């Protein structure tokens, strides 16, 4: 059952992230950690339920995502690297909490929570606009170029939202050092989207014209 598989994946991710975060911190008594997990998984859960009720086809595509799901072996490597860096954005703040390397002010932590929510909002708007937002780079039957909504601003809005969200995680956890693995995700995402664009130009009708119309990949007026 699709919902059961999505829920199992959701709970597995929660167990891994919570285990890494609290295990490395050496304590469960960390209010910022609990609030960060609440915001992160609360947003993820709402989007998952929305997909279940409104776009099961997209939920199915997302459930299949992850290392090993790509036809291109290089993209499987990229997926694996992205997964490791993602876990590291929780692991480093966990170590930071244990050893007291840094302590960001409460205002920074609140801003981080907001960045997580904003990142998820951008991802949601992307999903709502484009039912073909698969976790693997592929062309689905009936797929066409989407140039409306967030796609009218940047060509890869989901990646843009993900980067905002990832940058917010260590800030929400109160860790300046956690920004190091968050920054490492940028070249990984850039590597992935550059190869994705090459694939789309070759296999998706109209994508080359869309790329000419929408100049920016991730950040308006920047790149």
């Amino acid at each position: 059952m699709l919902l059961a598989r999505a829920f199992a994946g959701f709970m597995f991710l929660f167990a891994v992230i919570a285990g890494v975060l609290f295990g490395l911190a050496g304590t469960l008594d960390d209010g910022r950690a609990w609030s960060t997990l609440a915001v992160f998984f609360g947003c993820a859960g709402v989007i998952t339920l929305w997909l279940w009720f409104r776009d099961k086809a997209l939920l199915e595509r997302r459930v299949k995502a992850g290392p090993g799901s790509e036809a291109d072996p290089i993209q499987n490597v990229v997926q694996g690297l992205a997964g490791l860096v993602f876990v590291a954005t929780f692991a480093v703040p966990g170590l930071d909490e244990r050893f007291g390397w840094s302590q960001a002010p409460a205002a920074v932590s609140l801003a981080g929570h907001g960045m997580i929510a904003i990142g998820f909002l951008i991802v949601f708007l992307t999903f709502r606009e484009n039912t073909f937002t698969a976790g693997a780079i592929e062309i689905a039957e009936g797929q066409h170029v989407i140039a409306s909504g967030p796609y009218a601003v940047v060509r890869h809005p989901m990646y843009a939202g993900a980067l905002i969200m990832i940058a917010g995680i260590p800030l929400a956890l109160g860790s300046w050092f956690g920004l190091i693995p968050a920054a490492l995700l940028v070249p990984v995402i850039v590597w992935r989207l550059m190869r994705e664009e090459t694939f789309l130009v070759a296999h998706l009708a109209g994508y080359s014209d869309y790329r000419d119309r929408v100049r920016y990949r991730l950040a308006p007026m920047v790149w």
Side-chain angles (χ1 to χ4, degrees):
M1 183 179 177
L2 177 58
L3 186 59
R5 286 188 287 129
F7 180 74
F10 185 88
M11 293 307 298
F12 175 77
L13 180 62
F14 177 83
V16 169
I17 295 304
V20 167
L21 181 58
F22 292 117
L24 292 177
T27 180
L28 293 173
D29 186 19
D30 185 350
R32 293 191 190 190
W34 285 111
S35 62
T36 300
L37 292 178
V39 172
F40 183 93
F41 285 98
C43 291
V46 168
I47 291 175
T48 300
L49 287 175
W50 184 88
L51 290 175
W52 167 251
F53 284 110
R54 300 294 297 272
D55 195 342
K56 289 184 176 64
L58 178 53
L59 180 59
E60 179 70 43
R61 295 185 184 101
R62 302 306 305 176
V63 167
K64 292 179 179 178
S69 63
E70 299 281 357
D72 180 2
I74 298 297
Q75 288 292 3
N76 284 317
V77 173
V78 176
Q79 286 267 36
L81 288 173
L84 289 174
V85 174
F86 172 71
V87 172
T89 60
F90 290 93
V92 173
L95 291 171
D96 198 349
E97 173 68 19
R98 178 186 285 262
F99 296 110
W101 297 332
S102 67
Q103 186 70 24
V108 171
S109 185
L110 287 174
H113 285 74
M115 290 172 67
I116 294 172
I118 290 170
F120 270 113
L121 175 61
I122 294 172
V123 171
F124 166 73
L125 294 174
T126 303
F127 286 169
R128 189 179 67 176
E129 199 71 27
N130 185 8
T131 187
F132 300 106
T133 316
I137 297 173
E138 60 186 9
I139 302 297
E141 182 179 354
Q143 184 170 345
H144 57 275
V145 172
I146 304 296
S148 55
Y151 287 93
V153 182
V154 293
R155 300 201 297 267
H156 300 277
M158 187 181 70
Y159 295 147
L163 287 174
I164 293 171
M165 175 188 67
I166 293 295
I169 289 171
L171 298 179
L173 292 168
S175 171
W176 294 117
F177 282 92
L179 291 172
I180 297 173
L184 292 176
L185 187 63
V186 175
V188 176
I189 291 295
V190 169
W191 183 17
R192 177 173 175 80
L193 74 81
M194 293 297 287
R195 292 185 64 87
E196 181 175 347
E197 288 208 329
T198 299
F199 176 85
L200 292 174
V201 167
H203 297 92
L204 183 59
Y207 191 84
S208 181
D209 292 336
Y210 165 70
R211 187 177 62 172
D212 292 337
R213 294 196 310 273
V214 179
R215 295 174 53 194
Y216 300 104
R217 296 178 177 90
L218 286 174
M221 309 302 295
V222 178
W223 187 73

